[in-house]
């Protein structure tokens, strides 16, 4: 049975390779950073868990590892890494043409195929895919197939995929972990009762009997929390627990499905406005070598505010029909 945990081991192998390459180049902070993350991912794989080796890595180790990663991140420096000359890359792009898009398009197509067909695939009486985390398993499998397709289309060495992945990983640096860490932060906030505190504060400040006032508080809260935490996934559980469910759904009868969908999109308006979403707004500026490191945010700001206003109108129209 294929599960997301099998891909944890594959990801751990790739991160270990990135650490080894950095170690050979005497980039010790990078090597330790990726090697430590590789160990954490490997500890969640089925092989270690089945052999009880995972008991050697208790939760306290994971906590200490997070602190170590934060220290190592301060020592990581962006340095030029070898890549093919621009003339060679342009010639390759012209030769391959639109075939370059095939590996990228395979990722969403295969992910959807696994999600839809996965529950019905059985081999010898055993499901091919584990039901838990089916979407993530489909995405991981699609990325693997896409990498194989990219090697076939470009006719490069298979190891080239790992080398280019490692180069991109080192270019992004610690910011590559932000989506994972910030999404986890939202769960921590929700478990610690921040949602209830937000509900109490909102009820004291705004007229809770006003449907529009609650809706505006929910939309603005999604944007502000996303700006602070850098990820709408982190803001969503807090705002749904604090305003969405108790005030809009239970008190004013809003449709939970449409409120959640459009509310999440509203949170992404905050993503367009914050340097905390470094993987979206800061890393591209670095990769493109822009003079203004906040140039991406400035270009997106007008779109963010217009989209936020549109989402509020959509929620007012669709959530209370």
């Amino acid at each position: 049975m294929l599960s997301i945990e099998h891909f944890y081991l594959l990801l751990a192998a790739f991160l270990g390779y990135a650490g080894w390459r950095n170690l050979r180049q005497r980039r010790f902070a990078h090597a330790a950073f990726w090697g430590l993350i590789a160990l954490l991912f490997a500890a969640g794989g089925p092989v270690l868990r089945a052999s009880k080796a995972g008991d050697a890595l208790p939760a306290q180790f994971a906590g200490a590892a997070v602190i170590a990663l934060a220290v190592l991140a301060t020592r990581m420096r962006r340095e030029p890494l070898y890549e093919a000359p621009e003339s060679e890359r342009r010639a390759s792009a012209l030769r391959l043409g639109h075939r370059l898009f095939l590996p990228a398009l395979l990722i969403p197509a295969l992910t959807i195929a696994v999600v839809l067909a996965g529950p019905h695939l059985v081999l010898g009486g055993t499901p091919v895919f584990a039901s838990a985390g089916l979407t993530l398993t489909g995405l991981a499998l699609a990325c693997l197939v896409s990498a194989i397709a990219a090697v076939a289309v470009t006719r490069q060495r298979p190891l080239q995929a790992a080398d280019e992945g490692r180069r991109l990983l080192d270019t992004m640096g610690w910011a590559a972990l932000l989506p994972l860490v910030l999404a986890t932060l939202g769960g921590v906030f929700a478990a610690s009762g921040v949602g209830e505190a937000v509900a109490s504060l909102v009820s004291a400040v705004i007229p809770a009997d006003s449907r529009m006032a609650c809706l505006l508080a929910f939309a603005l809260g999604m944007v502000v929390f996303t700006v602070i935490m850098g990820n709408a996934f982190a803001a969503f559980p807090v705002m749904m627990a604090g305003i969405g469910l108790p005030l809009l759904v239970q008190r004013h009868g809003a449709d939970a499905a449409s409120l959640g969908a459009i509310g999440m999109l509203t949170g992404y308006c905050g993503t367009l406005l914050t340097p905390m979403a470094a993987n979206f707004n800061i890393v591209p500026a670095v990769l493109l070598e822009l003079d203004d490191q906040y140039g991406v945010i400035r270009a997106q700001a007008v779109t963010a505010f217009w989209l936020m206003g549109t989402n509020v109108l959509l929620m007012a129209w669709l959530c209370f029909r």
Side-chain angles (χ1 to χ4, degrees):
M1 182 185 298
L2 193 63
S3 70
I4 188 61
E5 294 175 342
H6 292 92
F7 292 101
Y8 286 166
L9 291 179
L10 187 61
L11 181 57
F14 166 66
L15 291 168
Y17 175 76
W20 175 72
R21 287 294 305 272
N22 277 291
L23 185 61
R24 290 190 60 186
Q25 296 177 354
R26 304 180 67 83
R27 293 155 54 94
F28 298 116
H30 290 74
F33 190 85
W34 302 124
L36 189 54
I37 299 173
L39 180 60
L40 292 173
F41 271 102
V47 175
L48 286 178
R49 291 196 304 107
S51 64
K52 302 301 182 182
D55 294 340
L57 297 175
Q60 290 82 354
F61 175 85
V66 171
I67 297 175
L69 290 173
V71 174
L72 288 169
T74 65
R75 308 298 302 171
M76 297 172 72
R77 298 290 183 268
R78 183 175 181 268
E79 301 171 5
L81 295 172
Y82 172 78
E83 60 179 327
E86 183 179 355
S87 58
E88 182 179 328
R89 286 182 277 131
R90 284 183 177 273
S92 178
L94 290 173
R95 175 176 59 85
L96 295 171
H98 294 306
R99 285 179 293 169
L100 283 171
F101 292 102
L102 176 62
L105 294 174
L106 280 175
I107 295 177
L110 290 178
T111 302
I112 294 172
V114 171
V115 171
L116 295 178
H120 309 290
L121 295 178
V122 178
L123 187 61
T126 302
V128 175
F129 297 100
S131 57
L134 182 60
T135 303
L136 287 177
T137 303
L139 176 60
L141 180 61
C143 290
L144 178 60
V145 173
S146 176
I148 296 172
V151 170
V153 168
T154 59
R155 298 180 182 177
Q156 296 290 330
R157 299 176 297 111
L159 193 59
Q160 187 71 15
D163 288 336
E164 288 300 315
R166 173 255 170 172
R167 185 180 64 80
L168 182 60
L169 199 62
D170 278 333
T171 301
M172 294 179 64
W174 56 265
L177 288 186
L178 273 180
L180 174 65
V181 175
L182 293 173
T184 304
L185 181 62
V188 172
F189 275 17
S192 60
V194 175
E196 289 77 3
V198 169
S200 301
L201 180 63
V202 169
S203 299
V205 173
I206 68 170
D209 291 332
S210 171
R211 184 173 68 186
M212 197 60 195
C214 293
L215 185 61
L216 287 173
F218 174 72
L220 291 174
M222 281 294 301
V223 173
V224 171
F225 267 77
T226 301
V227 167
I228 294 172
M229 295 189 282
N231 194 305
F233 286 105
F236 186 75
V238 175
M239 297 311 300
M240 280 301 288
I243 302 177
L245 289 176
L247 297 180
L248 290 172
V249 175
Q250 297 175 358
R251 188 162 186 167
H252 294 290
D255 177 66
S258 56
L259 180 69
I262 306 176
M264 179 66 81
L265 181 59
T266 306
Y268 290 144
C269 298
T271 302
L272 300 176
L273 297 170
T274 177
M276 284 295 291
N279 52 315
F280 290 107
N281 299 330
I282 302 301
V283 171
V286 173
L287 293 177
L288 296 173
E289 298 180 351
L290 301 181
D291 294 332
D292 183 4
Q293 65 174 334
Y294 301 117
V296 175
I297 296 176
R298 298 183 203 281
Q300 296 170 162
V302 174
T303 301
F305 289 118
W306 275 105
L307 184 58
M308 181 178 67
T310 302
N311 287 338
V312 170
L313 294 176
L314 284 174
M315 285 189 287
W317 176 42
L318 297 174
C319 296
F320 300 100
R321 299 182 69 179

